Amino acid sequence: MQAKRQAAAGALDAPARVHPETVRRLERSMGALGTAAIAAMDERLPWYRKMSAENRSWLGLVAQAGIAAFADWIKHPERARPAATEVFGTAPRELARAVSLQHAVEMVRVMIDVVEHQVDTLAAPGAEAELREAVLVYAREIAFSAAQVYARTAEARGAWDARLEALVVDSLVRGEAAESLNSWASALNWSSSPVAVIAGSIDGDEAEPVIEELRATARRARLDLLAGVQGSRLIVVLGGTDDPMAAAERFAGRFGPGPVVVGPPVRDLRSASVSARAALAGLRAAPAWPDAPRPASADELLPERALDGDAAAVEALVETVYEPLLAGGTALLDTLTTYLEQGSSLEGTARMLFVHPNTVRYRLRRVTELTGFTPAVGRDGHTLWTAIALGRLAARRG
């Protein structure tokens, strides 16, 4: 009780912020000032006129609350600052999405201008200067309060976006094409296609700054980007590029040491689980190819993925390499097999098959035409040999 009496005594001893007659005049004029503020917003703010009736109604309440809070503040000189919640607590939190911080500051400026234009009428005779000073202090404090409200909203929005982003990435990694995936992505302002997934390593302690750097790089390249960390893996979902390998080169330096693998492009986000599976399978198998480029495409790692037990890679090699060779004829497949067994020797292959070396050259060119792989190139030869072995195994099982 003693503390309350002392506080009350301190309030009574506080010097008046403005003349008491000014306070009375302001209180009598609050309704008119609120109406004038709403009319001024309608006249001066084009974005206000374009808003829905419901949002305009809420902003009208905010304007009236701002006038009322000003009157209450100057009436109580013991308050160092106006109570921001009396102004911005009037409207629902969702209104912050419809009204940007810039618009909120413009609205506060209109409210203050309305009061300033009537200072001579509102102030007691000779007290005009002190009312103008009070208006300036109030305007500054309310502007800071508006910034704080929007900062808290942005912080909450950022935390929600981070959780939603992690949910989208996790769904893609687990291969869940949820019906709500597109709506989740829309909430994150995702609109791009085609889509590709990039996978690599990351130090968990560095995840947050690395992801922010990735987002900044994507914005400069005008690409959409979602990112998530799963253990020591960094998963990046990239949208808006027809050449994901070229785009991935921009981001490879942000990943941790080790391979960076790019999944194949797909038409949209709901199909991105296909790209994610390929990228992650490539990341697991990449140690089998120590000299792999960084980044490497998941298709470049098909042999290693197949050896690691990736059924999709086995199927791709059989369908795109072995079966076209088989369809090209027994002689073609025998020539290729012999060429690879002979250490890529034209003369050795020709002797083993009892044909002219030019015949071997012709058949090898035909292999390249059918598969896209050149037998004389070491890496391509490895892919062809793996595909033949897998194809024979598949034929035996069939």
Side-chain angles (χ1 to χ4, degrees), residues 311-345:
V314 172
E315 182 180 356
L317 286 171
V318 171
E319 289 184 357
T320 64
V321 179
Y322 178 74
E323 290 181 358
L325 289 173
L326 194 61
T330 304
L332 191 67
L333 191 58
D334 288 345
T335 300
L336 174 60
T337 304
T338 304
Y339 177 78
L340 295 174
E341 289 174 344
Q342 294 298 312
S344 302
S345 169

Side-chain angles (χ1 to χ4, degrees), residues 26-27 35 51 56 71 79 123 129 140 142 163 183 188 191 202-204 208 215 222 249 266 278 307 312 315 388:
L26 186 58
E27 287 179 327
T35 301
M51 298 185 78
R56 285 201 307 272
R79 296 181 184 174
R140 181 191 66 189
I142 289 299
R163 290 193 293 272
S183 61
L188 294 167
S191 60
I202 191 172
D203 183 343
E208 188 172 341
R215 290 196 182 105
R222 297 183 179 179
E249 291 177 358
V266 293
L307 292 172
E315 182 180 356
I388 292 170

